[in-house]
Amino acid sequence: EVQLVESGGDLVQPGGSLRLSCAASGFTFTNYWITWVRQAPGKGLEWVANIKQSGSEKYYEDSVTGRFTVSRDNAKNSVSLQMNSLRVEDTGIYYCARHVWGALDYWGQGTLVTVSS
Amino acid sequence: ELVLTQSPGTLSLSPGERATLSCRASQSVSSSNLAWYQQKPGQAPRLLIYGASSRATGIPDRFSGSGSGTDFTLTISRLEPEDFAVYYCQHFGTSRETFGQGTKLEIK
């Protein structure tokens, strides 16, 4: 069974840092891009970042470029999202998802990040 | 920068009716990278359609997708009570992914 499990969400002050993790199981991890998507409270879905199978290519949404870093450890079947200089507007549920056929076919349950003083 | 505009913002229909949701791209996009998702409250999104018109595994055949270029449509032929949710279109580009703002399908 394909599973993606996010962790690491927490309450953090503006300007602080947080590291999210996404643990994958049930599929050949090295065959897939992984994407991070977030959702602010009561709002729509917003793409955050993605990373290629080997980790050699990474892309970011403009508002997080320079603040967030996505990485993966193929030996541990995991992807991380290091988030620095957090802003109130980064608050939301963060999902990781597996990419295939130009779509995201499996999603985790999400982890909540709250940026507030 | 690609923008996906979904319409209507909210669609009020009754069970058994037909729903037609639109996703318009600000520039022509590849159909192979256009997907639709359903999201219910408190749940992660679920993939419905990929490649503009292919149903994902386990998706009932009352869901269908069509379109090309800049105009794409998700059609639900006969609404079931469990279909009332928010629907998003998404495009996977060369270096970024883009979501539409969503259409809320509510019970009339």
Side-chain angles (χ1 to χ4, degrees), chain B residues 19-78:
Chain B
T20 303
L21 287 67
S22 172
C23 176
R24 177 161 291 177
S26 58
Q27 59 192 258
S28 184
V29 299
S30 168
S31 299
S32 62
N33 291 334
L34 195 288
W36 289 91
Y37 303 87
Q38 176 193 68
Q39 187 180 33
K40 297 180 180 179
Q43 296 184 15
R46 176 174 71 146
L47 176 65
L48 298 175
I49 301 288
Y50 64 94
S53 60
S54 297
R55 274 188 300 277
T57 303
I59 302 303
D61 61 7
R62 65 180 180 273
F63 290 91
S64 63
S66 63
S68 64
T70 61
D71 291 302
F72 298 88
T73 300
L74 174 70
T75 301
I76 310 172
S77 58
R78 289 179 317 279

Side-chain angles (χ1 to χ4, degrees), chain A residues 32-36 47 49-53 57 59 97-104, chain B residues 2 4 29-35 37 51 89-99:
Chain A
Y32 297 90
W33 286 72
I34 299 295
T35 287
W36 285 96
W47 171 71
N50 58 24
I51 184 166
K52 194 175 180 179
Q53 294 92 327
E57 292 182 41
Y59 300 99
R98 185 180 83 165
H99 171 259
V100 66
W101 309 313
L104 303 173
Chain B
L2 177 69
L4 297 178
V29 299
S30 168
S31 299
S32 62
N33 291 334
L34 195 288
Y37 303 87
C89 59
Q90 182 217 16
H91 179 260
F92 187 89
T94 305
S95 61
R96 66 178 294 115
E97 303 176 32
T98 304
F99 285 95

Side-chain angles (χ1 to χ4, degrees), chain A residues 33-72:
Chain A
W33 286 72
I34 299 295
T35 287
W36 285 96
V37 174
R38 67 184 178 186
Q39 188 167 36
K43 302 297 184 182
L45 302 174
E46 180 184 35
W47 171 71
V48 175
N50 58 24
I51 184 166
K52 194 175 180 179
Q53 294 92 327
S54 63
S56 60
E57 292 182 41
K58 309 171 186 181
Y59 300 99
Y60 301 91
E61 193 268 330
D62 289 346
S63 71
V64 309
T65 298
R67 300 188 299 123
F68 290 13
T69 302
V70 62
S71 60
R72 64 191 293 161

